[in-house]
Amino acid sequence: MVGLLFVLPYLQMFLTSLKSPSDLTHSPGTYVPSHWQWSNYADVWKGTGVGKALTVSLEVAVASTLVTLLCALPAAYYTARNRFRGRGAFLLLVLVTQMFAPTALVIGIYREMVALNLTDTLLALILVNAAFNLPFCVWILHGYFASIPRELEEAAFLDGAGRMGALARVTLPISMPGVVTAVVYTFIAAWNEFIVALTVTVSPDRKPLTVVAPSFVTQYQAHWQFLFATSVIAIVPVVILFVVIERYLVGGLTAGSVK
């Protein structure tokens, strides 16, 4: 019953995406379309640039996730396994940077992108998303690495594995729930990012889905069926991500601890 309550908004969004313009303006409104307009999806895909925007969002989200993981994994592992001078201050600094929202820094971000000649580029979106998601990933991965007993890695050393071998064969499999959490968080955050993309990008072929979707409802036009169709399309990659990584999340709870 509780699950049904969470599904109802998405069901209503899907039904609205299939309504005709007459259904949308009919009073009183109805939940179920009187004329099922399956062509709304074809129209929004071909004639509005949603397909290109979806590709841009996928490229930015995937690239941002990879960059974040490449930076967060070594940083989190080193801070978890080595007690160096200034370690506490470094972790505190990482935590503090998580408190700054892109909205509050958008002017500075734009000026920096102008100085680097990165305005209206996907690289700018990738770097900004990776930078804002990096602190959270470092913190959560640090906690997972720190919770893994050193004896497991030492046993791998005795079997002839090096530092990187022990990390790849023992530590990472055990910490897979943390890695998956970091992947999901970063991907969804980059997928949903709006204000920086709206400010930095200008060309229509470089705008992600979050910027293109609101353009269907403006002061002079209101194509609600296209807006909701785009929203349904935007949900699909996230659902696929959860379906794909779910088995890694469950399997990582016990993997790596037994030879």
Side-chain angles (χ1 to χ4, degrees):
M1 189 64 176
V2 175
L4 181 61
L5 293 176
F6 283 101
V7 172
L8 281 177
Y10 298 98
L11 177 61
Q12 183 57 53
M13 180 171 64
F14 175 70
L15 293 175
T16 305
S17 69
L18 297 174
K19 289 184 177 181
S20 63
S22 59
D23 286 334
L24 292 168
T25 57
H26 186 270
S27 181
T30 58
Y31 288 102
V32 179
S34 58
H35 301 88
W36 295 76
Q37 295 283 343
W38 294 97
S39 60
N40 287 342
Y41 283 90
D43 295 338
V44 78
W45 186 266
K46 295 179 180 178
T48 59
V50 167
K52 178 61 179 177
L54 178 64
T55 302
V56 170
S57 293
L58 284 173
E59 291 176 353
V60 171
V62 172
S64 300
T65 302
L66 291 176
V67 172
T68 302
L69 283 181
L70 287 175
C71 296
L73 283 171
Y77 182 74
Y78 187 84
T79 55
R81 285 290 182 259
N82 298 276
R83 295 189 175 277
F84 54 91
R85 187 175 183 180
R87 174 173 173 266
F90 172 77
L91 292 174
L92 180 62
L93 179 62
V94 170
L95 182 62
V96 169
T97 57
Q98 183 67 24
M99 300 178 184
F100 294 98
T103 305
L105 304 174
V106 67
I107 296 177
I109 292 173
Y110 181 77
R111 292 186 64 180
E112 186 173 355
M113 293 301 110
V114 171
L116 296 174
N117 197 26
L118 291 177
T119 54
D120 201 25
T121 64
L122 299 187
L123 180 59
L125 301 181
I126 293 170
L127 293 177
V128 171
N129 280 294
F132 277 100
N133 292 309
L134 183 60
F136 174 84
C137 292
V138 170
W139 260 98
I140 192 162
L141 291 173
H142 169 83
Y144 269 92
F145 288 147
S147 66
I148 298 174
R150 292 176 180 267
E151 289 76 11
L152 293 177
E153 292 182 353
E154 293 172 355
F157 295 155
L158 293 176
D159 288 339
R163 174 67 66 178
M164 295 303 298
L167 175 62
R169 299 178 183 180
V170 178
T171 308
L172 279 181
I174 299 175
S175 60
M176 191 56 67
V179 176
V180 170
T181 302
V183 169
V184 171
Y185 176 86
T186 305
F187 184 89
I188 293 179
W191 184 262
N192 293 333
E193 202 286 316
F194 172 74
I195 189 65
V196 174
L198 179 66
T199 305
V200 174
T201 58
V202 178
S203 303
D205 60 343
R206 290 183 176 88
K207 292 182 180 295
L209 208 55
T210 52
V211 177
V212 172
S215 63
F216 294 119
V217 179
T218 64
Q219 181 180 357
Y220 304 103
Q221 63 178 6
H223 299 302
W224 291 103
Q225 71 277 26
F226 293 156
L227 173 63
F228 283 100
T230 304
S231 300
V232 172
I233 293 173
I235 293 174
V236 174
V238 179
V239 173
I240 294 175
L241 174 66
F242 274 98
V243 171
V244 170
I245 68 175
E246 180 184 9
R247 62 190 183 94
Y248 294 102
L249 178 62
V250 176
L253 294 174
T254 56
S257 58
V258 179
K259 182 178 177 182

